[in-house]
Structure formats: structure tokens, C-alpha cells
Amino acid sequence: MEQTVEQKLKALYELQNLHTKIDKIRQIRGELPMEVADLEDEVAGLETRIQKIKAELDDTEDAIVTRKNMIKEAQSLIKKYETQLKDVKNNREYDALTKEVEIQNLEIQVCEKKIKEHGFEITSKTEVYEQALANIEARKGDLDVKKTELETITAETEKEEQALLKKAEKAETQIEERLLTAYHRLRNNAVNGLAVVTIDRDSCSGCFNQIPPQRQLDIRQRKKVIVCEHCGRILVDEALTHELSETEA
């Protein structure tokens, strides 16, 4: 059997009440879910940064080891060339060996310079690394606190929220698709999530604009679905809300 306009308005208002209760529960959680997500992202970012710095430190330490090995190799060659210098037979051999010794000494100087630079780099990056470790520990602590807060609030309200969501789903089946689509569009566009509102002191309780007397009379008669001329919300009269409250009681 097709619903009367009054039944449609009651169904819409009941659905709005359920969604308002759900909204209030979610407001209790406030910004916590977003704060938790932001902190998780920050921790993940710090972990990536720490891994990158650690890899750079390892590479720099490996570079120092390589340079030290190059120095040892150069020193070994110098000893070899110096030994050979004792047995040279002509100036050409002497000059060639002397040149090789100079080249290896220059190689040692370059390596020592690079080792010194790498040492400064390690000192600088170690400070950044340690600061990042301290930051991540602090952020993990903040995250644990926020997660605990969120879990506590969620545990306290989840059962009630789930029950209300089930009621809202059931209530939606009692509303025709055209009206339900309009209702959800209004809810999504409204800052406070109110799609169905009452007349309060001759005004729309959604946008607080004055409603003309004749329009108020039309709303009270419940012969058609009437929306606010200013905000587009569906309007119901106070008497209808009282009737629903008495029915629920």
C-alpha cells in the first residue's frame, strides 16, 4: 500500500533522528581518527627517512674501508718500488720508479682527504639519524596515546553505533528511492548533516530563515513534502515530532 505524505514525513524524520544520533557518536570521537591516521603517516615517513640515512651511513663507512684498503695497497706498492730503487741500473729506471712512488703518495693523500670528508659526513648524518630516532620514538608515543583514546571511545560507542546503523538501514527501506536520494543529497551538503528539520519560532531550524505563515500552515497539514525556500531542507511541523516521541515512549 502506498504511503501517505504524513507517513513519508514521519519516516524521513525518524531516519534523520537516527542519523543525528550516529553523527553525535562520531563527533565524540572527533578528530581522533584523522589524528591517528596523520601520526601513522608521520611515523611511516620517519621510518623511511631513518632507513635511508642508515643506508647512507653504511655506504659512507664502506667507502672509508675501501679508502683505507687503497692506502694499504699504495703503501705496499711504495715499499715495493723503494726496494726496486736500490737495484736500478740506469736513470730511466730510477725516474720511472720515483714517479710511481710519487703517484702512490698522491693516492694516499687523496684517500686520507676523502676519509676525513667521510668522517665529517658520518658525524653530521649521525646527528640527523639520532634526532630522527628521537622524533620517531616521540611520535610513536603520541600515536600509542591517540590509539588508546580512540580504542576506548570506540569500544564505548561501537555497540550503540552499530545498533543505530542497523535501525537506519531498516528505516531507509521504508522510504521511496526518490525521497531517499534527495535526503542523502541534502545531508551530504549540510554542514550539520540535517536534511529534515522542524519549524522553530516561525523559522527553519536548519538555516533560521523566516517561514511565511501560509507555508507553515501547508507544512502542518502534511499534504505534501515541503522544503525550505532558502536552504532546501525538508520541513516538518513540531506536532509531528511530538507524536513520534510519544510513539517511541
Side-chain angles (χ1 to χ4, degrees):
M1 191 173 73
E2 190 178 344
Q3 287 181 314
T4 64
V5 173
E6 184 173 343
Q7 287 171 329
K8 290 176 182 178
L9 290 169
K10 284 181 178 179
L12 283 166
Y13 188 73
E14 284 176 353
L15 181 61
Q16 178 66 77
N17 273 346
L18 289 167
H19 280 146
T20 298
K21 287 175 183 176
I22 292 166
D23 290 344
K24 283 180 180 176
I25 288 171
R26 289 174 178 171
Q27 281 169 11
I28 291 169
R29 291 198 283 268
E31 300 293 323
L32 274 175
M34 196 178 294
E35 287 175 17
V36 167
D38 287 345
L39 281 168
E40 285 174 339
D41 288 344
E42 191 173 349
V43 167
L46 282 167
E47 284 174 344
T48 301
R49 188 179 180 209
I50 286 166
Q51 288 170 4
K52 185 183 176 186
I53 297 169
K54 182 69 170 64
E56 288 172 354
L57 283 168
D58 290 343
D59 289 344
T60 307
E61 284 170 359
D62 288 344
I64 288 174
V65 171
T66 300
R67 289 290 179 180
K68 284 180 177 178
N69 288 334
M70 288 171 70
I71 288 172
K72 286 179 184 177
E73 188 179 340
Q75 288 171 337
S76 177
L77 286 169
I78 288 169
K79 283 181 182 178
K80 176 186 170 184
Y81 296 142
E82 285 176 344
T83 301
Q84 290 175 352
L85 277 168
K86 294 173 184 176
D87 299 322
V88 294
K89 295 182 174 54
N90 53 57
N91 286 339
R92 186 173 60 79
E93 286 182 14
Y94 180 85
D95 290 342
L97 287 169
T98 303
K99 187 69 175 174
E100 287 296 331
V101 169
E102 286 177 5
I103 289 169
Q104 295 307 317
N105 276 320
L106 284 171
E107 181 69 18
I108 289 169
Q109 288 175 24
V110 170
C111 287
E112 285 174 342
K113 183 183 177 185
K114 287 292 182 183
I115 287 169
K116 194 173 182 181
E117 288 174 359
H118 289 325
F120 287 131
E121 192 178 340
I122 285 172
T123 301
S124 175
K125 282 186 179 175
T126 299
E127 288 177 6
V128 175
Y129 180 74
E130 288 172 353
Q131 185 60 54
L133 286 176
N135 288 344
I136 200 170
E137 285 307 309
R139 284 290 166 266
K140 280 182 176 178
D142 293 340
L143 179 57
D144 288 341
V145 169
K146 293 294 181 183
K147 273 187 172 178
T148 302
E149 284 179 30
L150 182 57
E151 285 166 7
T152 302
I153 292 171
T154 301
E156 290 171 354
T157 58
E158 189 173 21
K159 190 175 178 182
E160 184 184 355
E161 183 181 357
Q162 289 304 315
L164 287 167
L165 283 168
K166 283 181 181 178
K167 284 183 180 179
E169 284 175 14
K170 187 178 177 182
E172 286 188 0
T173 64
Q174 307 301 312
I175 300 169
E176 62 181 81
E177 191 175 342
R178 180 182 59 83
L179 274 176
L180 190 60
T181 301
Y183 168 84
H184 281 301
R185 186 178 65 251
L186 286 165
R187 246 180 77 75
N188 291 335
N189 291 335
V191 176
N192 55 11
L194 293 176
V196 184
V197 295
T198 58
I199 302 168
D200 185 24
R201 297 177 184 175
D202 300 327
S203 300
C204 166
S205 61
C207 66
F208 309 109
N209 278 292
Q210 196 82 11
I211 300 171
Q214 182 56 49
R215 200 163 184 78
Q216 290 185 47
L217 181 61
D218 292 339
I219 293 164
R220 293 191 186 97
Q221 287 177 345
R222 306 172 197 170
K223 298 295 182 186
K224 56 183 176 179
V225 177
I226 296 173
V227 299
C228 174
E229 295 174 339
H230 302 281
C231 65
R233 289 180 174 91
I234 298 165
L235 293 163
V236 296
D237 61 291
E238 282 287 342
L240 181 142
T241 66
H242 293 319
E243 288 168 21
L244 286 172
S245 299
E246 287 170 7
T247 304
E248 289 174 4

